[in-house]
Structure formats: C-alpha cells, structure tokens
Amino acid sequence: MQTITFDKRFFESTRGQIVTILRGAPCTVDDLAAKLSLTDNAVRAHLSTLERDGLVRQSGLRRGPRKPHFTYVLTDEADRLFPKAYDALLNQLIAVLKTRLSPSEIEDALREVGRSMAATAPSTQSANLKSRVQGALKVLEAIGGAAEIVEHDDKLMIQSSSCPLAAAVSVHPEVCQLAESLVAEIVQAPVQEQCDRTGRPKCRFEISHKEGSQKSTKRT
C-alpha cells in the first residue's frame, strides 16, 4: 500500500473529504456525490484510488429505486491512521505522574511499561540477534511505527522518519525510555535510545552486534 500522510493538506483534498465522510458512516457513490457536489464518475475515480491505497473497501449493497448500490467503508488500516484519544490521555497521565513522582520513579514506571509490552510480543529468544531485531521492528509497527533496520559498523540501528508515540514524546521526551525498554527486552542486547526530538520526533535505537550481551533494564 502507498504510504499516505493524514495531515491538513490531505483532509482538504477531495479524497480526504471522502475519508472523513466514510469515517462517520458507510456511503454509496450517490451519497458521496451529493455530499461533495461531484459527478458519480468523479467519485468513482477517487474511490478507485483510495481502494488501490488500501484505505477504502466495498462493504455491501443498499437497495435503490432502480438497482442496488455498493456501500463503501474505511478499512481497518485507514482507521488506525487517525489520531486517537489515548494520545491526549497519555500526555495527561504523565503530567499527573510528574506532580506525584520523582523523575527516577517516572523513568522506572515507563521502563516497566515497555517491558510489559515486550512480554506480549511473540517470543524470539531462541533466534539470532538480527531475527530478534526484526521482531522488535514488527512490534513497533504494530503500535504505529514505520521503522527500518540499518547497519553501521558493529551496530544495528532501528530508525524511522516518524514516531508512533510522537504526540506524547513532543511533550514528555522521557516516553522514549518506554520504547527503549521495549526494544531492549525483545532483542536481548544493549540498546541505546538516540531519538531525534527536534521538530516531529523520529525514532532511533542503537543496538550492539555482540551476541549474548544484554542491557539490564530490570530492577534488582
């Protein structure tokens, strides 16, 4: 699927308006044409592009005066691209924690969350390091990341042009410690968070190539 950025410019476009309408309720071509003041053929052309990009699919048939019409809905993939309320909730939760806990206690809590998330991931402990890193990549993708693995000398890097926790990291940079612990727990090797937090946050984790050496992220 082509990567689509759900930003203001996209939502101002005709296809963005279609996505917004379909997020509210399934619609037929006639419904969309009426809402957008477009011809049926113009709507079909936009729907064809959105289907190609994996954002829209046919859902069923609705009876019409002459013949039934297909209804269209957003795919699960498209729905996951929308900002979720938990961004604001996470920000508020950390803000409250900062009034009650010390910085070290907050760090411990965030790292514990990262380790707990790693515990739900498929086990890769018997795999080699690169396979474990691939496993970490899949977990990051599952929570909204789009990272890649890059090799630098004796290091492996997980890096991305975006961050699945960007809304929280922009306000509370220490949230990166959660992701660092998540990656370290899965890859079972030393991990150093080097995220770029200038502008929109970008993930960057440096992982040692050495097998058998594990960063200690667990409290004793």
Side-chain angles (χ1 to χ4, degrees):
M1 185 188 79
Q2 178 183 353
T3 301
I4 302 295
T5 302
F6 275 30
D7 56 14
K8 182 178 179 182
R9 183 179 300 177
F10 173 78
F11 285 113
E12 289 175 348
S13 70
T14 300
R15 286 195 290 275
Q17 292 177 58
I18 290 174
V19 167
T20 300
I21 293 169
L22 293 181
R23 196 184 184 202
C27 291
T28 64
V29 169
D30 287 346
D31 293 334
L32 292 168
K35 291 176 184 291
L36 297 169
S37 299
L38 295 173
T39 65
D40 288 359
N41 286 339
V43 170
R44 288 190 180 93
H46 288 301
L47 286 171
S48 177
T49 299
L50 289 168
E51 283 188 284
R52 181 200 66 198
D53 292 337
L55 301 178
V56 164
R57 64 178 176 83
Q58 290 182 349
S59 176
L61 290 171
R62 182 187 299 171
R63 291 184 179 276
R66 290 178 297 176
K67 63 178 182 179
H69 299 276
F70 282 108
T71 57
Y72 291 83
V73 297
L74 295 186
T75 63
D76 291 341
E77 185 68 27
D79 190 59
R80 283 195 292 270
L81 297 178
F82 282 95
K84 301 291 192 256
Y86 56 68
D87 288 337
L89 289 173
L90 179 57
N91 276 336
Q92 191 59 38
L93 173 61
I94 296 175
V96 170
L97 289 177
K98 284 183 173 180
T99 67
R100 301 187 181 189
L101 302 175
S102 68
S104 63
E105 289 174 323
I106 293 173
E107 179 180 347
D108 284 347
L110 290 172
R111 291 191 181 281
E112 186 63 32
V113 171
R115 289 191 291 269
S116 296
M117 292 176 65
T120 65
S123 176
T124 56
Q125 291 186 3
S126 61
N128 60 36
L129 178 59
K130 288 188 178 180
S131 295
R132 297 198 299 271
V133 174
Q134 286 285 355
L137 203 67
K138 290 179 181 179
V139 171
L140 291 173
E141 290 173 351
I143 62 173
E148 62 178 351
I149 300 171
V150 179
E151 293 195 47
H152 287 295
D153 299 326
D154 63 338
K155 304 288 185 182
L156 285 174
M157 303 294 301
I158 290 180
Q159 59 187 42
S160 173
S161 59
S162 62
C163 170
L165 302 172
V169 169
S170 296
V171 182
H172 306 289
E174 56 269 48
V175 171
C176 290
Q177 295 158 3
L178 182 160
E180 181 189 83
S181 291
L182 170 63
V183 173
E185 194 73 13
I186 294 173
V187 304
Q188 297 294 296
V191 175
Q192 180 63 50
E193 174 263 307
Q194 298 179 351
C195 299
D196 180 358
R197 289 181 283 273
T198 58
R200 185 165 180 81
K202 301 175 181 64
C203 293
R204 185 181 173 91
F205 302 101
E206 184 181 271
I207 303 163
S208 171
H209 265 196
K210 293 181 180 179
E211 291 283 359
S213 59
Q214 177 182 354
K215 180 176 180 177
S216 175
T217 58
K218 297 181 180 179
R219 288 177 290 179
T220 57

